[in-house]
Amino acid sequence: MSYHISITKAPSSTVQNVDINNIPMGNAFTDHMFVCDYENGAWVNPRIEPLRALPMHPASMALHYGQAIFEGMKVTMGQNQTPLLFRPEKNAARLNKSADRMGMPEFPEDLFLQALIEFVRIERNWVPSQEGSALYLRPFMYADESFIGMRAATHYKFIIMASPAGPYFNRRIRLYAENHYVRAVNGGTGEAKAAGNYAAAIRPTEFAKAKGYDQVLWLDPNHFEYIQEVGTMNIFFKIAGTFYTPDLSGSILAGVTRMSVIELLRHKGYEVIERPISLTEIKKAIADGTLEEGFGVGTAVGIALIDEIGNEEFTLKFPESNPVGDEINTQINEIKVQKSPDVLHWLVPVQ
């Protein structure tokens, strides 16, 4: 189905005021945003308009009851200067899975894709050309009904905005194995990309960084023994030639990069097993030399190689060589800019 998206262009662009090839993610924003309203049980008035501050009533329900979800995606520039979306249909589906868990209306997936394409067409001058950089897209939905009371809202906004971004990590990372705070439990909202999940992670992450670590490694809430995920990433381990990653038990976000890494590893002939993984198992594999690689994966970070996992009680040093992790990282990055064949048909060109 094709939708009519009204377009109002900004009078002038600010792209010339920033160095889009040398800027941290989230510091600068493009000229426009896509906006759509949910009212009377339907999504209406899809539009692209100049980026601006949004008026918000103090009683907007997202502020009081946390109905807010988001996605993260990247646009890269192909070899023929065509912007490329990476598996956008997976983000559309995951947004609706999050919406369902948070009691919010689903957003039409075909409109999601059309809006992305129209939006990227207009903002194509903001897509960085430098290797490792991209235009980061942030689709999000929140309850903007003015009401104080514990129920699902009846009015929502869906918005897409964007920020040029350089590489997130360009070095090996240290992970703090958190043994007090927890990210999620089965039956909670861990499998949804809900804003509140990240709010709850801020304080523990700041503690970890103050200790010299880059991110938190979240563990299960009962025994602080089973590995869930990293602050902004899913996690993989290669043990005795086989790759392992925590299974999606209901408390772990189904990362699009996670899915892609699993598919690419299997395409290359590696065995990938999704199951619970304990810290004890990782400690044993390091001690007997069978742990060969470890890395985190996510949209913002790509693939981040692990230097160590630790806390006040232990330190686990990882092998310095990550041949498969490096290979997968290089291949995914090259697929995203059409330097390598898109063997699994992941790219959506914005003509």
Side-chain angles (χ1 to χ4, degrees), residues 19-24 74-79 81 124-135 164-168 170 333 336-337 339:
D19 181 1
I20 62 172
N21 286 311
N22 184 30
I23 189 169
K74 283 183 175 179
V75 182
T76 49
M77 191 64 79
Q79 293 297 291
Q81 295 302 297
R124 69 183 314 280
N125 289 337
W126 287 87
V127 181
S129 58
Q130 183 177 336
E131 185 175 349
S133 297
L135 180 62
Y168 199 92
N170 52 15
N333 286 337
K336 288 180 176 180
V337 295
K339 285 186 177 180

Side-chain angles (χ1 to χ4, degrees), residues 5-6 33-37 44-49 157:
I5 299 175
S6 65
M33 60 183 180
F34 171 85
V35 185
C36 196
D37 300 301
V44 298
N45 192 21
R47 60 202 184 272
I48 293 173
E49 59 187 36
K157 269 191 169 54

Side-chain angles (χ1 to χ4, degrees), residues 130 166-173 214 301 303-305 329:
Q130 183 177 336
Y168 199 92
F169 285 119
N170 52 15
R171 54 179 171 76
R172 289 155 56 88
I173 59 172
D214 298 295
V301 302
I303 293 179
L305 306 178
N329 188 40

